[in-house]
Amino acid sequence: AQTVTQSQPEMSVQEAETVTLSCTYDTSESDYYLFWYKQPPSRQMILVIRQEAYKQQNATENRFSVNFQKAAKSFSLKISDSQLGDAAMYFCAQIISNFGNEKLTFGTGTRLTIIP
Amino acid sequence: NAGVTQTPKFRILKIGQSMTLQCTQDMNHNYMYWYRQDPGMGLKLIYYSVGAGITDKGEVPNGYNVSRSTTEDFPLRLELAAPSQTSVYFCASRASAGISTDTQYFGPGTRLTVL
């Protein structure tokens, strides 16, 4: 069974600074996908970034990047030049590449506060 | 495209009442999902569907039912509402062909309170 752990319930960062959110996961599968979703107060789940496990190169989307350490089963999210609009809950999630297993496993989330 | 839409946004039910949460997607996605999110927790899968006429249980299916008569719609039915079903419900969909078939796209959620 897959598990996803986010050990930081809350984080805060000064506006324009950089923050890193941690995520570790556990799976016996070798082919899977990892995601970071953002949930602002509106509750909408918004995809921030995705990473394919078979790709060694870390994914990047504008100010968002990941540090994917497959051997360590670690998948952290780095937000550069933090903006007030980045304030939200951030969820790490994993799904294995196996049609028949449709479970997207989520962590418990990290609440990010941006300090003006 | 409107993406994934859900109705209603909010609902209060009395214990024992029934209701249907509606979910529609206009992206022609074959796969659709229902999740619930309890306070301070991540999302848990209730039911999913891999295409019209095909549904299957997820992690927490008890107390719920689903149907999938069309590609676009995936309603979630609560037959006898219980306080334990107080939660925020999310519908999601994903493509089965093309790029990014691993990525699920979420609706805005329905906040349900059972009193």
Side-chain angles (χ1 to χ4, degrees):
Chain A
Q2 297 104 259
T3 59
V4 176
T5 302
Q6 294 177 251
S7 58
Q8 306 155 312
E10 296 183 355
M11 293 279 287
S12 61
V13 63
Q14 290 283 146
E15 191 176 2
E17 296 295 310
T18 296
V19 64
T20 299
L21 308 183
S22 300
C23 172
T24 59
Y25 59 93
D26 189 17
T27 181
S28 58
E29 301 292 332
S30 60
D31 194 12
Y32 50 88
Y33 296 87
L34 296 163
F35 307 87
W36 278 99
Y37 280 92
K38 170 185 178 181
Q39 187 178 43
S42 66
R43 297 200 317 266
Q44 180 87 37
M45 293 289 285
I46 302 166
L47 177 68
V48 175
I49 198 166
R50 60 187 283 274
Q51 173 82 41
E52 294 136 323
Y54 63 87
K55 287 188 176 179
Q56 293 185 340
Q57 186 173 5
N58 290 325
T60 300
E61 289 288 342
N62 300 314
R63 298 183 294 107
F64 299 88
S65 61
V66 298
N67 183 3
F68 175 47
Q69 301 290 329
K70 191 171 185 178
K73 296 182 179 177
S74 170
F75 183 60
S76 60
L77 174 70
K78 185 171 82 171
I79 306 174
S80 303
D81 186 25
S82 298
Q83 300 176 359
L84 295 177
D86 295 334
M89 283 289 287
Y90 286 81
F91 290 95
C92 179
Q94 178 199 35
I95 192 166
I96 65 172
S97 302
N98 179 3
F99 291 110
N101 181 349
E102 293 298 328
K103 182 182 175 184
L104 184 62
T105 302
F106 285 84
T108 52
T110 296
R111 182 175 301 281
L112 178 64
T113 301
I114 311 298
I115 304 167
Chain B
N1 286 351
V4 181
T5 57
Q6 293 182 236
T7 56
K9 291 185 178 179
F10 304 93
R11 183 71 185 267
I12 299 175
L13 284 182
K14 295 182 179 179
I15 294 172
Q17 285 186 319
S18 301
M19 78 162 294
T20 299
L21 282 65
Q22 302 292 344
C23 175
T24 300
Q25 53 90 11
D26 62 358
M27 298 175 283
N28 200 31
H29 286 172
N30 283 331
Y31 290 77
M32 295 187 74
Y33 308 82
W34 274 106
Y35 293 89
R36 60 178 286 173
Q37 183 182 27
D38 298 329
M41 303 296 290
L43 280 66
K44 293 187 177 180
L45 183 64
I46 304 171
Y47 270 96
Y48 67 94
S49 169
V50 301
I54 305 170
T55 62
D56 208 346
K57 296 177 180 179
E59 188 180 1
V60 289
N62 291 344
Y64 307 95
N65 279 298
V66 294
S67 60
R68 185 91 182 274
S69 57
T70 66
T71 299
E72 296 77 20
D73 301 308
F74 188 41
L76 177 72
R77 178 93 178 149
L78 283 71
E79 290 293 347
L80 293 171
S84 62
Q85 293 177 306
T86 295
S87 190
V88 179
Y89 292 84
F90 289 96
C91 180
S93 72
R94 73 173 176 91
S96 59
I99 61 173
S100 300
T101 57
D102 51 279
T103 302
Q104 295 184 20
Y105 296 91
F106 286 80
T110 295
R111 182 179 293 278
L112 177 67
T113 301
V114 182
L115 301 174

